[in-house]
């Protein structure tokens, strides 16, 4: 039967069949909120009716500036389910970027958490396209804003509405969600997801060979719902029957630990910096992660030391994953296999350092500068190209098609692929270091450097060198109170990489700059140290 895929069907299914699983939220206003998928569906239908009364129609963009909470979850389903498009905005972007995005997308309404009301007050004169702002809270917590006197209260908005709403039927290729990438140069670019792409991605992502979700899982997405839809968890958890634990605004080690321990979370998802904070906290209180089975690490390369800590100290299986906004985001996953289960420690570390094998639905290949395929021998570096039904075919309202070539999407990453299909990211193509015609992976050097006990964060950039074009420079943030010298770090790396990969120098800084999605802002680091080797020689 030619039944179109529709996001609203996910929640209808979960409300009927996932009656044992709960959605738990650490609320922005304080306290814990919990309800069932059935409750979520009833409130989502009230919200869909409320959107209709706000004159929201199919194709309208409705934006959110919000943490991971049950209200944000309701917006995911109500907006897309009624045929409009949920546009999740990253509040960590610069104000100018948020202004650009809201105007580019022509967002009709903005739903905002209490935390971000001041942010909107500051930019309100520049977002005239927005017809109204809804604050995601109840009457008791509504802010009184002089600058934004007409704020609408979420709970008041949905309270009078009916719990009956017939989801409209439309083509499964109808747009459902919109996310902007936060590149380091130029304006952010919009990626549009359809009902079809979102469902296919969610079904593939929850399988045991990917994120390993099922009815026994209580999944805690630390990855924000404003960053590629929290890696699709709001869609894949209800399909799998899993419960969800939303951390709200509490991303620090202590808040996360309290929630993981209190709610007995089984599956965690987030970027390495978040796990660093969590692991440091657990070490400091001699805590445990006894309820947790898997931790999905993605967004940046997972260092070996972090994976060993999870696996060998806390008994948690680290699932290294790779993807990007343009891919909904799931591309590859380093999941459990029989081979990995019986491998010795060194073999296991070597495999888990890789970003894994393509998930079902994604094809990957590496190519040279002429887009000619390169061998999958685990050694040859090439531009990583992908294709599949949840990968973007272009950017929203943008004519730049340079990354979309011959039916493939150029990810901008450089990688190797081994004969068993395991892909390993070498670098972003603009970050790879070109020294005397050979390539050096900044990511691999960083991963080794953070293995040193005195190192909190490491960044490696290639900077101009009079003899070799570029040479690596290692920039280190030391752990509080820890001491280590440049020479000591260089010696530490000697047996880990080829001699000519060794950074020529090491500098120490108090902090490193990051992008809005927590990645190292290497453009800034490179320009800061651009003359380092030129002035030395
Ligand atoms: P974003 O679109 O903001 O999610 O960023 C996607 C980019 O993050 C990818 O193209 C990679 O460069 C990087 N990335 C994501 N996951 C990983 C990973 N596991 N290891 C290394 N880099 C990663």
């Amino acid at each position: 039967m030619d039944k179109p895929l529709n996001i609203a069907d996910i929640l209808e299914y979960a409300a009927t069949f996932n009656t044992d699983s709960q959605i738990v939220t650490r609320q922005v206003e304080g306290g814990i909120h919990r309800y069932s998928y059935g409750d979520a569906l009833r409130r989502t239908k009230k919200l869909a009716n409320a959107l209709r009364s706000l004159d929201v129609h199919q194709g309208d963009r409705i934006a959110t500036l919000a943490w991971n909470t049950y209200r944000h979850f309701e917006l995911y389903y109500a907006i897309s389910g009624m045929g409009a498009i949920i546009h999740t905005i990253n509040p960590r972007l610069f104000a100018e970027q948020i202004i650009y995005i809201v105007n580019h997308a022509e967002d009709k309404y903005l739903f905002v958490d209490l935390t971000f009301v001041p942010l909107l007050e500051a930019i309100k004169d520049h977002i005239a396209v927005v017809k109204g702002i809804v604050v995601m809270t109840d009457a008791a917590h509504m802010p009184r804003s002089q600058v934004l006197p007409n704020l609408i209260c979420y709970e008041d908005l949905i309270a009078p509405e009916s719990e009956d709403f017939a989801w409209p039927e439309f083509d499964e290729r109808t747009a459902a969600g919109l996310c902007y990438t936060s590149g380091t140069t130029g304006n952010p670019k919009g990626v549009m997801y359809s009902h079809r792409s979102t469902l296919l991605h969610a079904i593939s992502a929850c399988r045991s060979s990917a994120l390993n979700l099922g009815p026994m899982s209580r999944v805690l997405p630390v990855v924000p719902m404003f960053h590629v839809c929290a890696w699709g968890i709001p869609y894949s958890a209800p399909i799998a029957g899993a419960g969800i634990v939303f951390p709200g605004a509490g991303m620090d080690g202590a808040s996360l630990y309290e929630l993981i321990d209190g709610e007995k979370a089984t599956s965690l998802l987030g970027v390495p910096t978040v796990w660093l904070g969590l692991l440091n906290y657990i070490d400091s209180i001699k805590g445990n992660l006894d309820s947790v089975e898997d931790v999905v690490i993605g967004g940046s390369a997972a260092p070996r030391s972090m994976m060993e800590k999870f696996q060998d100290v806390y008994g948690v299986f680290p699932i290294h994953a790779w993807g990007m906004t343009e891919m909904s985001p799931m591309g590859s996953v380093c999941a459990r296999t029989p081979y990995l289960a019986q491998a010795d420690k060194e073999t296991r570390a070597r495999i888990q350092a890789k970003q894994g094998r393509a998930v079902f639905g994604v094809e990957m290949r590496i190519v040279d500068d002429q887009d000619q395929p390169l061998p999958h021998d685990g050694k040859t570096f090439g531009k990583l190209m992908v294709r599949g039904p949840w990968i973007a075919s272009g950017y929203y309202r943008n004519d730049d098609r340079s990354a979309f070539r011959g039916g493939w999407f150029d990810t901008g990453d450089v990688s190797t692929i081994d004969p068993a299909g395991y892909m390993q990211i070498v670098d972003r193509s603009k970050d790879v270091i070109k020294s005397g015609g050979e390539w050096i992976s900044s990511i691999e050097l960083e991963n080794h450097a953070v293995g040193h006990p005195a190192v909190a964060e490491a960044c490696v950039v290639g900077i101009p060198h009079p003899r070799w074009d570029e040479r690596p420079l290692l920039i280190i943030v030391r752990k509080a109170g820890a001491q280590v010298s440049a020479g000591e770090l260089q010696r530490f790396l000697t047996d880990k990489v080829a001699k000519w990969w060794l950074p020529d120098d090491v500098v120490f800084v108090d902090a490193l700059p990051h992008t809005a999605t927590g990645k190292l802002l290497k453009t800034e680091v490179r320009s800061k140290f651009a003359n380092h080797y030129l002035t030395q020689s």
Side-chain angles (χ1 to χ4, degrees), residues 379-456:
K379 295 188 196 78
T380 311
F381 291 15
K383 290 195 274 184
L384 178 60
M385 311 281 287
V386 291
R387 63 180 180 189
W390 55 79
I391 294 167
S393 55
Y395 292 109
Y396 181 55
R397 295 178 166 174
N398 186 321
D399 296 334
D400 181 2
R401 304 207 40 84
S402 54
F404 304 92
R405 300 189 301 274
W408 292 81
F409 169 65
D410 182 346
T411 62
D413 286 331
V414 171
S415 79
T416 60
I417 301 178
D418 71 19
Y422 283 87
M423 184 274 289
Q424 183 159 23
I425 298 285
V426 173
D427 247 321
R428 288 295 291 165
S429 47
K430 53 190 187 313
D431 294 336
V432 74
I433 301 163
K434 296 177 185 97
S435 168
E438 299 287 342
W439 287 8
I440 298 173
S441 163
S442 66
I443 293 187
E444 191 171 337
L445 284 168
E446 285 159 7
N447 281 348
H448 288 305
V450 291
H452 190 284
V455 173

Side-chain angles (χ1 to χ4, degrees), residues 17 72 274 278 326 353 376 393 395 398 409 438 467 517 527:
F17 299 107
H72 206 173
V274 162
L278 177 70
E326 289 87 337
H376 292 187
S393 55
Y395 292 109
N398 186 321
F409 169 65
E438 299 287 342
R467 172 143 182 234
T517 50
S527 67

Side-chain angles (χ1 to χ4, degrees), residues 227-228 298-301 320-325 355 411 413 425 428 517 519:
H227 184 205
V228 220
S300 302
H320 198 182
W322 166 86
M324 57 196 308
T325 308
Q355 280 75 1
T411 62
D413 286 331
I425 298 285
R428 288 295 291 165
T517 50
K519 299 186 211 301

Side-chain angles (χ1 to χ4, degrees), residues 492-512:
F492 177 74
L493 294 173
T494 8
D495 61 345
K496 299 181 174 62
V497 294
K499 194 158 171 264
W500 60 277
W501 277 38
L502 286 176
D504 297 27
D505 200 6
V506 183
V507 293
F508 297 92
V509 294
D510 292 336
L512 282 159

Side-chain angles (χ1 to χ4, degrees), residues 304 311 339-352:
R304 174 173 177 166
Q311 198 149 4
Y339 182 72
L340 204 52
Q342 51 77 47
D344 60 63
K345 201 171 161 175
E346 266 318 299
T347 312
R348 203 181 67 193
R350 200 172 35 76
I351 295 172
Q352 290 186 316

